[in-house]
Amino acid sequence: MITGTQTRWQTELQQAVTDPAELLALLGLDPTEFDGPRAEIRPFPLRVPRGFVTRMRRGDPNDPLLRQVLPVAAETAPAPGFIADPVGDLASAARPGVLHKYRGRVLLVATGACAVNCRYCFRRHFPYADENPRPDNWDEALDYIRGDDTIAEVILSGGDPLSLSDRRLAALAGSIANIAHVRRLRIHTRQPIVLPERIDEEFLAWFAPLPLQKVVVVHANHANELSAEVARTCAALNSAGASLFNQSVLLRDVNDSVEVLANLSEALFAVGVIPYYLHLLDRVAGAAHFDIPEQRALALHRELRARLPGYLVPRLVREQAGAPAKTLLL
């Protein structure tokens, strides 16, 4: 039953670390070792759940999980070619909250809220306040989907759609399930990784019986992100009838080695998640310090293919504004 009481995941979300000085203190790190960690990078400040912090290596200023979330001065440096909307989201907006880029599927920007602010996020500049419908009013978006019978799949994205309450998610998913030509619901979310408490009994109570094929695409970039609780969460999603896939982003000094990428694929498969996409960095303003040259990415991918069975090798892709699909790099 969906109630109005605060759940454990909501409490964890409220208690997330939002001050760089506190984060570094929790890890026993000296702020002077960093390139100006700062709290004033607005409107995209630090936000990271405390459970995710416990997976970071204490005393290691180069920890790959820390690097993904710590705001640094490099984000404010100008970088040619790095822009606010690198994948053409705004040009593909069909209705408020509705992005229709690819045939057969449509994406709903369900919320601008996330459990964690990843510094490389391609939507870090997205105008959520202007482009989202009111939280409880999806009528226009649903009418758009009803009016196009080529749409077989609806994708919930954000932000992170699992930041919404179960009441709102269940209502939205139920409305989608009532559209005759929609067969699949896909959820893009980082919360099963960074906030595994989110997949609780209340979530599963509405998600498991949903009369749609269910796909959950999670987002992990390093094997150290996958804790025992993450494994239990993935098992629960599988048991609820969801097919699980992972999207990673290739990030400088985070996962730009064949050893790290191979370990990630093995760790994902061990918890029931298929390594699906390895994205080249979307060239969003503020993330240039994470960029990897394309030729280096191709070399890493060749090494990965030589090391792993094919089903453990994610597809190396780049998303390009206006393209009819993601660009597969070979």
Side-chain angles (χ1 to χ4, degrees):
M1 182 175 66
I2 297 174
T3 68
T5 58
Q6 189 174 66
T7 60
R8 180 187 171 197
W9 72 267
Q10 290 171 320
T11 300
E12 293 287 337
L13 203 56
Q14 286 184 349
Q15 295 175 351
V17 179
T18 57
D19 181 0
E22 181 187 5
L23 175 59
L24 296 179
L26 288 169
L27 296 171
L29 292 169
D30 183 350
T32 62
E33 295 184 71
F34 295 86
D35 176 24
R38 50 183 62 190
E40 69 270 20
I41 295 179
R42 304 286 178 178
F44 200 64
L46 171 72
R47 183 177 183 82
V48 57
R50 292 176 187 272
F52 194 68
V53 175
T54 65
R55 295 173 232 166
M56 299 176 187
R57 294 190 292 251
R58 184 173 173 81
D60 183 358
N62 299 311
D63 178 77
L65 278 59
L66 173 64
R67 184 167 170 78
Q68 294 180 58
V69 303
L70 182 68
V72 294
E75 295 179 38
T76 63
F82 286 77
I83 60 176
D85 183 15
V87 299
D89 275 345
L90 296 181
S92 68
R95 296 289 187 278
V98 181
L99 305 184
H100 199 173
K101 292 185 181 182
Y102 306 138
R103 180 175 173 82
R105 52 214 186 270
V106 70
L107 183 148
L108 302 185
V109 183
T111 176
C114 275
V116 61
N117 284 347
C118 302
R119 310 316 303 171
Y120 51 86
C121 178
F122 69 96
R123 288 201 182 116
R124 59 182 289 168
H125 304 291
F126 189 83
Y128 290 104
D130 299 330
E131 295 297 327
N132 267 29
R134 296 192 306 275
D136 283 321
N137 186 6
W138 284 96
D139 291 348
E140 190 175 357
L142 293 166
D143 284 343
Y144 178 82
I145 297 168
R146 290 187 194 99
D148 186 345
D149 63 9
T150 70
I151 297 172
E153 179 174 80
V154 175
I155 303 165
L156 301 186
S157 185
D160 193 312
L162 296 194
S163 299
L164 296 177
S165 69
D166 285 304
R167 177 184 63 81
R168 287 179 174 171
L169 278 173
L172 177 56
S175 296
I176 293 168
N178 286 330
I179 300 175
H181 52 265
V182 174
R183 299 193 300 270
R184 289 184 302 278
L185 179 71
R186 191 197 320 176
I187 299 176
H188 283 202
T189 175
R190 189 134 158 79
Q191 288 200 18
I193 305 298
V194 302
L195 189 71
E197 298 89 345
R198 178 63 185 93
I199 308 303
D200 56 13
E201 290 183 5
E202 192 170 63
F203 174 88
L204 296 169
W206 68 264
F207 182 73
L210 197 65
L212 290 168
Q213 292 178 305
K214 299 182 284 286
V215 178
V216 177
V217 180
V218 298
H219 176 187
N221 297 311
H222 196 283
N224 290 1
E225 299 178 37
L226 305 179
S227 65
E229 192 160 8
V230 170
R232 288 191 291 270
T233 290
C234 292
L237 286 167
N238 270 316
S239 295
S243 300
L244 268 61
F245 299 90
N246 182 69
Q247 295 189 107
S248 301
V249 181
L250 191 56
L251 301 167
R252 181 185 299 277
D253 296 331
V254 172
N255 59 6
D256 55 333
S257 81
V258 69
E259 187 77 22
V260 170
L261 292 172
N263 288 343
L264 173 60
S265 284
E266 295 277 11
L268 286 166
F269 194 69
V271 299
V273 180
I274 300 296
Y276 181 45
Y277 277 150
L278 176 61
H279 283 262
L280 267 64
L281 180 76
D282 294 318
R283 296 191 167 190
V284 64
H289 55 296
F290 287 113
D291 198 28
I292 300 293
E294 185 171 314
Q295 289 305 310
R296 171 64 178 150
L298 287 164
L300 282 170
H301 199 252
R302 282 195 299 271
E303 292 181 61
L304 198 61
R305 293 202 312 270
R307 178 165 177 161
L308 294 176
Y311 59 86
L312 291 186
V313 180
R315 301 169 185 174
L316 182 65
V317 296
R318 183 188 289 284
E319 185 164 355
Q320 296 177 301
K326 290 182 172 61
T327 302
L328 185 63
L329 302 175
L330 296 173

